[in-house]
Amino acid sequence: MRRSEVQVDGESASYLTAGRDGPVVLLLHGTYWSRVWLPVLGRLAEAGQRPIAVDLPGLGRSGGELTRETATVPALAEWVARFASAMGISGPIALAAHDIGGAIAQHLLVHGQLEVSRLALVNSVTYDSWPAPHVARFRDPAATGDDLLAARRRAVASALAGAATEQLIAEYLDPWTDPRVRRSWVALAAAAESRYTLELIPALKRSTTPKLLIWGEDDEFETVEYAEKFAREIPHTTLIRISEADHIPTENAPGRIARALIDFFTT
């Protein structure tokens, strides 16, 4: 496991990766950061994949700072395409995404900014499921101080469910100790609009790309009912439910989720 970086738009784009060869699996985060994918990276690499979990600009360990304009789903999808180009990634690509990263992934698939061979969504935003109330309340650019950190701590503890420990919560919260990252996160919250997923539904219904949904069943906001609806309405979609897991199921069932991703991406 290692962290590296590449330059995108003159700023460092940080990413976690494991392995050195094999087909690329690009992993996107949403309102958290690349840490959500850490529990499965090693397993993907051991199976012959080359996982790359990137931090979006201004978030996690990446440089730069988001604004409300650059934090929209279409703008972030364009950034991800530029990141892939900077990494020399071309041809069909396996794509997995969590939370708002799922909106970015759906946009990339529908608009062909990347050649997506298979799409996996983990407790992703879909339809009009977002923004969640605990995200929407921070649309005010002034909300970047201690109140945000306290709210993020509560959100992280809830999302980790039974996996939550003080050490793990601290790891997840660490990037938000940087005011620049807090400002970027508030911009992401301000730019969160469900129209970006709702407008993709007609094209997704026509899509023949295989899709996998992996869902922590106890998520109160990106509820499993949304996943069930997606699986019913969007062709070529399979749903795997993860019991006793909330919004970040990779921490609750890393082995099962890694196996599901490996089977899906290598079929």
Side-chain angles (χ1 to χ4, degrees):
M1 208 83 59
R2 62 191 182 279
R3 182 169 287 280
S4 191
E5 63 180 42
V6 67
Q7 291 290 302
V8 180
D9 302 335
E11 298 282 359
S12 64
S14 181
Y15 61 94
L16 281 172
T17 189
R20 298 188 182 276
D21 300 311
V24 168
V25 177
L26 182 58
L27 304 152
L28 305 180
H29 68 85
T31 54
Y32 295 87
W33 58 300
S34 58
R35 179 64 180 76
V36 299
W37 294 110
L38 184 60
V40 301
L41 291 186
R43 292 174 170 89
L44 291 174
E46 289 170 5
Q49 307 288 300
R50 183 188 167 204
I52 297 174
V54 63
D55 284 325
L56 295 171
L59 300 172
R61 304 298 188 208
S62 283
E65 183 172 331
L66 289 174
T67 66
R68 186 166 185 157
E69 292 70 34
T70 59
T72 66
V73 166
L76 289 172
E78 291 175 1
W79 184 90
V80 171
R82 294 196 296 277
F83 169 78
S85 178
M87 291 288 293
I89 299 170
S90 61
I93 185 172
L95 185 60
H98 176 252
D99 190 80
I100 291 178
I104 299 168
Q106 292 169 62
H107 196 279
L108 287 164
L109 170 64
V110 164
H111 293 281
Q113 290 151 301
L114 293 178
E115 188 180 350
V116 179
S117 59
R118 288 177 173 257
L119 174 65
L121 300 175
V122 179
N123 285 75
S124 166
V125 301
T126 57
Y127 297 96
D128 61 351
S129 71
W130 64 301
H134 65 281
V135 173
R137 62 176 287 222
F138 287 102
R139 289 174 178 268
D140 182 355
T144 58
D146 293 342
D147 187 38
L148 187 147
L149 283 173
R152 286 281 78 199
R153 179 182 178 81
R154 290 191 295 271
V156 167
S158 174
L160 291 171
T165 64
E166 284 301 315
Q167 179 178 346
L168 189 57
I169 292 169
E171 287 180 22
Y172 269 85
L173 288 177
D174 184 65
W176 286 304
T177 61
D178 184 339
R180 174 186 60 86
V181 175
R182 293 202 297 272
R183 291 192 299 270
S184 291
W185 189 89
V186 169
L188 185 69
E193 296 184 36
S194 60
R195 67 183 175 92
Y196 291 125
T197 43
L198 287 170
E199 66 189 17
L200 299 176
I201 297 303
L204 286 170
K205 289 181 176 180
R206 297 190 299 269
S207 170
T208 59
T209 300
K211 303 165 193 71
L212 174 67
L213 306 183
I214 300 174
W215 230 263
E217 290 184 324
D218 297 336
D219 194 330
E220 295 182 2
F221 300 105
E222 306 310 323
T223 65
V224 72
E225 287 76 18
Y226 276 104
E228 291 169 342
K229 179 180 179 181
F230 193 102
R232 284 196 309 270
E233 295 187 352
I234 308 302
H236 310 286
T237 299
T238 301
L239 170 61
I240 295 177
R241 304 164 66 114
I242 306 295
S243 61
E244 299 181 357
D246 202 287
H247 189 59
I248 309 179
T250 49
E251 296 286 358
N252 304 98
R256 184 180 175 193
I257 291 174
R259 184 73 260 164
L261 290 171
I262 291 163
D263 291 345
F264 178 62
F265 288 136
T266 58
T267 299

